[in-house]
Amino acid sequence: MTNNKKELATLHTTKNLISIARHHFSTYGYENTSLEAIAKEANMTRGAVYHHFKNKKNLFKAVLNLVQHEVGLNVEKRAQSSKDIWEQLILGCVGFVEAATLENNKRILLIEAPNIIEWTQWKKMDDENSVLLLEEQLMIIQKNEQLIDFDIHMISHMISGALNDLSIYLAESDNLNNEQIYKAVDYLLKGFKKNG
């Protein structure tokens, strides 16, 4: 087998393991997920799983990276559905809440992640994904003089914290009403809008 074929086979195996693990982590939780069950479903030995992932925690991190990437894609997709830069901010925030509270995301992203990986590591991952997207949009809004004169990093962390907490609340209450989510996000963001 050439190096290219080996790399493709490894990539395929890794993606398959992440997909299976995602189902297990979102359905049974981190504690009740075993590498043996994941290996069995993937038709592999536990040792073969260790060849790709050092331990269960590393496999969880790979799943979390995928979830955060998908949430980020949904944020961008929702934001791009408007040409108005302020509306893009609102829709992007709504897109985060929608994607974060999906059945196969909420347990991994909102409940398990802050407990399984160290808080500082989880926060770093959140900053590199959600907060970064927020800061980029806020800079565009600031250049267009629609943002209050305040530190963008502070604003983005306040918004991110509020969205994370709102998502946890909605994930636990099963009370997802898109119109209400839009209104809540709109009210939250108005405080940062110049002449809002």
Side-chain angles (χ1 to χ4, degrees):
M1 199 186 286
T2 66
N3 277 350
N4 251 0
K5 285 184 179 176
K6 282 182 184 175
E7 286 171 17
L8 284 172
T10 299
L11 184 65
H12 175 73
T13 302
T14 302
K15 285 174 86 172
N16 188 40
L17 283 170
I18 290 170
S19 175
I20 293 167
R22 181 181 191 167
H23 170 73
H24 282 254
F25 290 136
S26 65
T27 306
Y28 311 113
Y30 183 84
E31 280 301 316
N32 295 319
T33 293
S34 71
L35 285 180
E36 289 85 357
I38 292 168
K40 185 177 179 183
E41 194 171 328
N43 293 319
M44 297 171 72
T45 64
R46 185 174 170 164
V49 174
Y50 282 130
H51 175 73
H52 296 278
F53 297 98
K54 185 178 163 185
N55 52 36
K56 184 166 82 166
K57 193 173 184 179
N58 278 17
L59 180 54
F60 180 82
K61 283 185 202 173
V63 171
L64 178 59
N65 275 326
L66 176 65
V67 169
Q68 287 187 315
H69 176 72
E70 289 177 2
V71 169
L73 290 176
N74 195 60
V75 167
E76 290 178 347
K77 180 182 169 190
R78 289 289 270 134
Q80 289 170 356
S81 67
S82 175
K83 296 205 182 305
D84 179 83
I85 57 172
W86 191 263
E87 184 71 7
Q88 287 173 349
L89 177 63
I90 297 169
L91 292 173
C93 290
V94 170
F96 171 84
V97 174
E98 289 171 344
T101 55
L102 286 174
E103 199 58 43
N104 66 338
N105 291 344
K106 62 185 181 181
R107 187 174 200 162
I108 294 165
L109 183 68
L110 303 171
I111 298 159
E112 301 276 17
N115 297 311
I116 304 308
I117 62 175
E118 296 77 27
W119 167 254
T120 51
Q121 197 172 13
W122 180 84
K123 188 65 187 116
K124 184 177 184 283
M125 290 174 82
D126 191 50
D127 288 350
E128 290 170 354
N129 290 282
S130 304
V131 177
L132 184 65
L133 288 172
L134 272 170
E135 286 182 355
E136 287 172 357
Q137 188 64 26
L138 289 169
M139 283 186 221
I140 293 168
I141 293 169
Q142 186 181 55
K143 282 182 187 170
N144 283 271
E145 300 181 358
Q146 293 184 38
L147 192 69
I148 60 169
D149 185 22
F150 204 73
D151 182 85
I152 283 183
H153 301 299
M154 196 176 288
I155 293 172
S156 60
H157 282 277
M158 288 193 303
I159 294 170
S160 178
L163 294 177
N164 282 333
D165 203 50
L166 174 62
S167 297
I168 291 168
Y169 165 73
L170 292 171
E172 290 176 344
S173 69
D174 288 328
N175 187 21
L176 283 172
N177 176 320
N178 284 354
E179 190 178 320
Q180 286 293 94
I181 294 168
Y182 181 94
K183 281 182 185 176
V185 170
D186 186 31
Y187 286 133
L188 169 73
L189 297 177
K190 272 183 183 161
F192 302 110
K193 189 173 186 182
K194 191 181 271 189
N195 307 319

